[in-house]
Amino acid sequence: MKITFYGHASLGIEVGGKHIIVDPFITGNPLASAIDINTLKADYILLTHAHGDHVLDVEAIAKRTNATIVSNAEITSYYAQREFKAHPMNHGGSWQFDFGKVKYVNAIHSSSFPDGSYGGNPGGFVIEGEHKNIYIAGDTALTMDMKLIPLRTKLDLAILPIGNNFTMDVEDAIIASDFVECDKILGYHFDTFGYIEIDHEESIRKFFDKGKDLMLLEIGESIEL
């Protein structure tokens, strides 16, 4: 499983011979100006919620790649009405895709499209594929629901927001890593706006002091599990 960071909360995942893009907000992010969305491969687009900084490039990528959009029922209905391929899910449900199993789990946030349309309830994803399991938290506060995840899935990586203001901060993300029982963390949703700028060295040190590994990738950088 290969995971590439495209800035903010945007990710590329290669697993089971398939290409997945999560929450594509790239063309509107000056920090990600080196990423050309026209070169990105996508069989699936996973969306945690409908905010503009998570869905900006969905239609452009889906139109070019014919990717299937996976999200909650309201978000997928929004795109299906625009004649995009979509697979609806909701909290607690899972589906066996051709790259692995995906479960849609709870997140505490808000969700509406830039045009004001209702975006359903926000969520996160647990993905089990190629004998590696990851948790993509989406935009969320710290929630006790995270404790449910390791009851079913042993994680190899937790992808957590750490930018504060709109989501968890570093300290809450450390607690979240305890809740999901995973000490290998990929941080995201930081630095894009003034509200969510972080001190990288201090953030890494705080995780290290708790015996955990926080990875802060450069935009375009990848890791393999």
Side-chain angles (χ1 to χ4, degrees):
M1 183 184 292
K2 181 179 179 181
I3 301 170
T4 303
F5 181 53
Y6 292 132
H8 196 51
S10 302
L11 304 165
I13 302 172
E14 296 178 40
V15 57
K18 300 297 181 180
H19 295 266
I20 303 162
I21 294 180
V22 181
D23 287 355
F25 172 72
I26 298 169
T27 60
N29 181 4
L31 300 178
S33 59
I35 305 297
D36 180 1
I37 65 168
N38 295 310
T39 66
L40 300 181
K41 297 179 180 179
D43 298 294
Y44 297 91
I45 299 173
L46 272 56
L47 303 177
T48 61
H49 64 294
H51 286 164
D53 61 331
H54 293 255
V55 304
L56 177 68
D57 297 315
V58 170
E59 295 194 18
I61 294 172
K63 187 176 296 183
R64 180 178 57 82
T65 63
N66 199 35
T68 298
I69 298 166
V70 181
S71 191
N72 66 36
E74 290 80 9
I75 289 175
T76 52
S77 175
Y78 177 95
Y79 287 112
Q81 289 171 11
R82 288 156 177 77
E83 300 186 347
F84 291 98
K85 290 167 58 179
H87 180 104
M89 300 191 74
N90 220 318
H91 296 86
S94 60
W95 188 260
Q96 185 69 43
F97 292 93
D98 52 6
F99 61 85
K101 188 171 80 169
V102 175
K103 186 172 186 176
Y104 191 66
V105 296
N106 194 36
I108 297 179
H109 196 59
S110 54
S111 180
S112 60
F113 285 94
D115 64 7
S117 300
Y118 178 51
N121 292 314
F125 296 100
V126 175
I127 301 175
E128 300 180 2
E130 290 185 340
H131 309 294
K132 297 294 183 180
N133 305 325
I134 66 172
Y135 167 46
I136 303 170
D139 284 14
T140 188
L142 179 66
T143 167
M144 296 293 283
D145 286 346
M146 294 172 177
K147 288 192 170 187
L148 298 174
I149 292 173
L151 298 181
R152 292 285 301 270
T153 305
K154 179 173 176 54
L155 297 174
D156 297 285
L157 178 71
I159 302 173
L160 305 177
I162 57 173
N164 204 3
N165 195 71
F166 299 110
T167 68
M168 297 187 293
D169 61 6
V170 167
E171 286 78 7
D172 277 355
I174 291 171
I175 298 171
S177 69
D178 287 335
F179 283 3
V180 300
E181 299 179 10
C182 184
D183 292 335
K184 189 171 185 178
I185 310 302
L186 176 60
Y188 78 162
H189 207 279
F190 63 90
D191 282 357
T192 317
F193 324 113
Y195 288 120
I196 60 173
E197 291 178 354
I198 65 168
D199 183 318
H200 290 213
E201 291 187 4
E202 181 183 27
S203 299
I204 291 170
R205 178 187 56 78
K206 287 181 176 179
F207 273 85
F208 180 81
D209 287 348
K210 297 295 183 178
K212 302 173 186 289
D213 177 21
L214 173 65
M215 293 174 287
L216 301 179
L217 299 181
E218 297 294 331
I219 294 175
E221 188 178 0
S222 302
I223 58 170
E224 294 203 32
L225 299 179

